[in-house]
Amino acid sequence: MDSNWIDISTPVHPGMPLWPGDPGLNFTRVMDQESGDICTLTQASLSAHTGTHMDAPLHFVRKSATMESWPIEATVGPARVIRIANPTAIHRDELLQHSIQPGERILFRTANSDRDWGKLPFDENFVFIAKDAAEYLAECGIRSVGVDYLSVGGFHQDIVETHVALLGNGIWIMEGLVLNAIEPGDYELVCLPLKWVNAEGAPSRAILRRVVTA
Amino acid sequence: MDSNWIDISTPVHPGMPLWPGDPGLNFTRVMDQESGDICTLTQASLSAHTGTHMDAPLHFVRKSATMESWPIEATVGPARVIRIANPTAIHRDELLQHSIQPGERILFRTANSDRDWGKLPFDENFVFIAKDAAEYLAECGIRSVGVDYLSVGGFHQDIVETHVALLGNGIWIMEGLVLNAIEPGDYELVCLPLKWVNAEGAPSRAILRRVVTA
């Protein structure tokens, strides 16, 4: 491996945008060298869906797989970044032109990434995967999908439908990716979620590296 | 990338061994489809040093670097797994035979990995990096070091000295790795910590792949 990896994870800090109603994020220094302790030590309280994270099937599908059953191949390997033109939602009609193949790992770079969303308040009108596009991705048989905001489904529509169409068909979901600097094309993706047992999601870290074709 | 990656991360669950005195681990389902909610959602409370995790310099060195300044190259790239024979501690004399080079990423597979430590109570007598070995690793100028228990320093000795010798010399630390199935030799390592701003450590996920030489 060379060193051309790009971090596509959002910084986790109080004040970052969180899904409305989700538990807040708190960091507490339970030990601090500045107060005379031998070391500095942080305790965190956070939702599994804070910042860059993954959803397991259990998030929206009862009695289904949890995070510790995540297969490494789901989000480690070749991936494609697709630029979405529609400024409102990702729809099947736009995806048809991209020749999506079975087993692909697909990341959508939308208008969400035109702004530094990780530093702004939560935006209810983020670009999301509409139900028709989610069902199309399931028909295509992709392996995993990543989006550049906090949910694959919309705030006002398709939140349940899109999650169910993806998770119910074995597609692992990456959310909260930072794709502002990422051009469309072929990459190597490494997205690693924490190994939280019996959880429906987990905070994750993701990096990308451009595939240079000869 | 092929699919021969091996997970070297310990499962995170209540009942796992934690450093004595550290904040406990709690998972709470704040939403649950089994109770009629539209989805299932977990909130977690945990120490930055739970299970597989990384230490940033600030953990033991005042006014020093925090997790968000982690350089990808510190723990992503070629790495070497060294088998340690000493059943008590890693000492300089044993390391001398391994020709450790500047810039190396080194993982130590010790007797800790003879047991499935992630399922057992905390063991105060785990194999650790003694001060003399930590100072030697700093002299060698390695880039990062990983161990197969919850701390590079010992419970009864060298806890401060070993952390300071490593972190004070710019060596990033991976702790809580699961190396039971790992033979000594050359690997590709990907260890990704959560991007926790202003924190002295962060939970991480790590995978390893054998380098096959022709």
Side-chain angles (χ1 to χ4, degrees):
Chain A
M1 298 184 191
D2 62 26
S3 58
N4 294 321
W5 291 100
I6 305 162
D7 187 15
I8 55 168
S9 317
T10 194
V12 177
H13 59 92
M16 67 190 295
L18 301 175
W19 193 264
D22 273 11
L25 166 70
N26 283 288
F27 285 134
T28 306
R29 286 204 177 161
V30 294
M31 296 179 76
D32 195 332
Q33 288 180 287
E34 301 306 325
S35 306
D37 293 321
I38 64 157
C39 69
T40 296
L41 194 130
T42 294
Q43 176 178 25
S45 173
L46 75 172
S47 157
H49 304 264
T50 302
T52 305
H53 70 279
M54 287 192 62
D55 290 353
L58 189 74
H59 189 31
F60 273 88
V61 180
R62 293 175 66 175
K63 319 275 187 203
S64 64
T66 51
M67 280 311 305
E68 75 272 25
S69 70
W70 166 81
I72 294 178
E73 302 75 34
T75 56
V76 176
R80 179 153 59 122
V81 175
I82 291 177
R83 184 72 158 96
I84 295 297
N86 187 316
T88 306
I90 302 167
H91 281 288
R92 176 191 178 99
D93 60 352
E94 185 172 357
L95 296 186
L96 287 172
Q97 67 191 272
H98 289 289
S99 184
I100 294 173
Q101 300 299 311
E104 276 204 276
R105 301 170 189 90
I106 302 278
L107 309 184
F108 292 119
R109 198 282 187 199
T110 76
N112 297 327
S113 296
D114 293 342
R115 298 170 305 126
D116 203 354
W117 64 261
K119 294 179 179 171
L120 297 169
F122 183 82
D123 178 4
E124 296 183 359
N125 299 308
F126 64 88
V127 183
F128 62 98
I129 303 178
K131 179 188 179 207
D132 67 332
E135 290 173 346
Y136 176 68
L137 292 169
E139 288 166 27
C140 290
I142 68 169
R143 193 187 304 250
S144 59
V145 65
V147 292
D148 56 357
Y149 207 70
L150 293 169
S151 171
V152 287
F155 187 78
H156 297 294
Q157 114 187 38
D158 294 349
I159 183 75
V160 174
E161 294 84 349
T162 289
H163 277 97
V164 169
L166 297 169
L167 296 172
N169 286 290
I171 298 169
W172 289 80
I173 293 174
M174 296 161 275
E175 295 171 328
L177 301 176
V178 176
L179 300 178
N180 303 48
I182 308 298
E183 295 296 317
D186 294 324
Y187 292 84
E188 299 283 351
L189 167 70
V190 178
C191 177
L192 302 185
L194 295 186
K195 196 171 186 169
W196 284 5
V197 175
N198 208 26
E200 82 296 335
S204 307
R205 188 78 184 249
I207 59 177
L208 267 189
R209 184 171 58 171
R210 194 71 194 243
V211 173
V212 181
T213 48
Chain B
M1 296 184 192
D2 63 26
S3 58
N4 294 322
W5 291 101
I6 305 162
D7 188 15
I8 55 168
S9 317
T10 195
V12 177
H13 60 91
M16 68 191 294
L18 301 175
W19 192 264
D22 273 10
L25 167 69
N26 283 289
F27 286 134
T28 307
R29 286 204 177 160
V30 294
M31 297 180 74
D32 195 331
Q33 287 181 286
E34 301 305 326
S35 308
D37 293 321
I38 65 157
C39 69
T40 297
L41 194 130
T42 295
Q43 176 179 25
S45 174
L46 74 172
S47 156
H49 304 263
T50 302
T52 304
H53 70 280
M54 287 192 63
D55 290 353
L58 190 73
H59 189 31
F60 274 87
V61 180
R62 293 174 67 176
K63 318 277 186 202
S64 64
T66 52
M67 281 312 304
E68 75 272 24
S69 69
W70 166 81
I72 294 178
E73 302 76 32
T75 56
V76 176
R80 179 153 60 122
V81 175
I82 291 177
R83 184 73 160 93
I84 294 296
N86 188 315
T88 306
I90 302 167
H91 281 290
R92 177 191 178 99
D93 59 352
E94 184 171 358
L95 296 186
L96 286 172
Q97 65 191 274
H98 289 289
S99 184
I100 294 174
Q101 300 297 313
E104 276 204 277
R105 302 170 188 88
I106 302 278
L107 309 183
F108 291 117
R109 198 282 189 200
T110 76
N112 297 326
S113 296
D114 293 342
R115 300 169 304 126
D116 203 354
W117 63 261
K119 295 179 177 170
L120 297 170
F122 183 81
D123 179 3
E124 296 183 359
N125 298 309
F126 65 88
V127 184
F128 62 98
I129 303 177
K131 179 188 179 207
D132 68 332
E135 290 173 346
Y136 176 67
L137 293 169
E139 286 165 29
C140 290
I142 67 168
R143 191 186 306 249
S144 59
V145 65
V147 292
D148 56 358
Y149 207 70
L150 294 168
S151 172
V152 288
F155 187 78
H156 297 293
Q157 104 186 49
D158 294 349
I159 184 74
V160 173
E161 293 83 350
T162 289
H163 276 98
V164 169
L166 297 170
L167 297 172
N169 285 291
I171 299 170
W172 289 81
I173 294 173
M174 297 162 275
E175 295 171 329
L177 301 176
V178 175
L179 300 178
N180 304 48
I182 307 299
E183 295 296 318
D186 293 324
Y187 292 83
E188 297 283 352
L189 167 70
V190 178
C191 177
L192 302 184
L194 295 186
K195 197 172 186 169
W196 284 5
V197 175
N198 208 26
E200 82 297 335
S204 307
R205 188 78 183 250
I207 59 177
L208 215 49
R209 185 170 60 171
R210 193 70 194 242
V211 173
V212 181
T213 48

